[in-house]
Structures are given as C-alpha cells and as structure tokens.
Amino acid sequence: MQKNPVVFWELATHDMEKTVEFFREVFEWKIEFNDRLGFYIIPETTLQNEALDGGIFTLKRAKLPFLTVFIQVEDIEEKAKLIQEKGGFIVDQPSEIPSGSKICLFNEPSGVTFAMLQPKSTQPLE
C-alpha cells in the first residue's frame, strides 16, 4: 500500500441538499447527514482492499489548477445521460483513452467538476 494514501475528500457546494440528491440519484451512493459535523458523509466509496490511485500532471487544456475525483462506473454513456437529466453538465463527452478505458468530465449541479471512469472491458469480444 502507498504511504499516506488519500482517504477522504470534500465537496464545498452552494446547495448541499441538491448536490447530495444528485449523487444519490446518479451514482446510488448512500449518503448520511452527520449531526455532530453538520454536513453529509459518504462512507466507503471504494471496495475493501481496493486502491484509490492518483495522478499529478502539468495543465494543458485547463486554465486553473484543480482536483478531480474519478468515479468508476459500468456504463459511462448511460451515466452521462443521467447526469444531464439530474441537473449536471457534461464538460467532456465520454471518450476512450489510450489504455482502452473511457473517461468523461462532468459538473455536478453547483458547477464542481468530477470525472467518471469506465475501465476497459475484460470480457472477450464475441
């Protein structure tokens, strides 16, 4: 395991209830309000013993530094449609990257950018 792994992330939004509803409806996340902290918590967004990898790169297209959280999905095109239906915005349409996986950048309803990743299929082609 990597030393000092990423173990938590936060999203500051102008409307936390709308943002929570968006992630519940699009990604089916269990999200609970924590009375002690005064905000919502998304417990365990990775499978047990699964790595939460990261990357660092030099900006090419984007103008401002940013952090993007990647959410793994099974059908990226289906999720892109659902994102739009639920008030999100597709920044970059689903596209294949050199590894064979697909990525898609999107904004949740308050405008914060996230990404989806659909891993390359491991099933043989018929």
Side-chain angles (χ1 to χ4, degrees), residues 73-85:
V73 299
E74 291 182 17
D75 186 336
I76 203 164
E77 284 84 7
E78 177 186 305
K79 289 295 184 192
K81 289 177 189 173
L82 188 56
I83 284 167
Q84 292 176 311
E85 290 172 15

Side-chain angles (χ1 to χ4, degrees), residues 39-56:
F39 56 85
Y40 289 90
I41 296 291
I42 300 100
E44 299 180 26
T45 56
T46 62
L47 299 175
Q48 190 168 353
N49 298 322
E50 185 173 300
L52 181 59
D53 297 334
I56 300 172

Side-chain angles (χ1 to χ4, degrees), residues 86-106:
K86 300 299 181 180
F89 175 78
I90 300 300
V91 175
D92 282 335
Q93 292 293 327
S95 61
E96 191 169 310
I97 57 177
S99 68
S101 295
K102 293 182 181 179
I103 64 170
C104 173
L105 295 178
F106 68 94

Side-chain angles (χ1 to χ4, degrees), residues 15-64:
D15 186 340
M16 72 176 167
E17 283 78 17
K18 185 174 183 178
T19 298
V20 165
E21 181 180 341
F22 174 82
F23 282 102
R24 281 179 178 154
E25 291 181 2
V26 173
F27 296 106
E28 302 173 45
W29 286 354
K30 179 182 176 186
I31 304 175
E32 303 163 348
F33 189 79
N34 184 302
D35 289 319
R36 184 179 63 78
L37 297 174
F39 56 85
Y40 289 90
I41 296 291
I42 300 100
E44 299 180 26
T45 56
T46 62
L47 299 175
Q48 190 168 353
N49 298 322
E50 185 173 300
L52 181 59
D53 297 334
I56 300 172
F57 58 93
T58 299
L59 296 173
K60 292 180 182 173
R61 290 183 17 201
K63 301 295 182 214
L64 299 174

Side-chain angles (χ1 to χ4, degrees), residues 4-19:
N4 306 304
V6 174
V7 295
F8 191 73
W9 54 270
E10 292 180 326
L11 169 59
T13 176
H14 296 292
D15 186 340
M16 72 176 167
E17 283 78 17
K18 185 174 183 178
T19 298

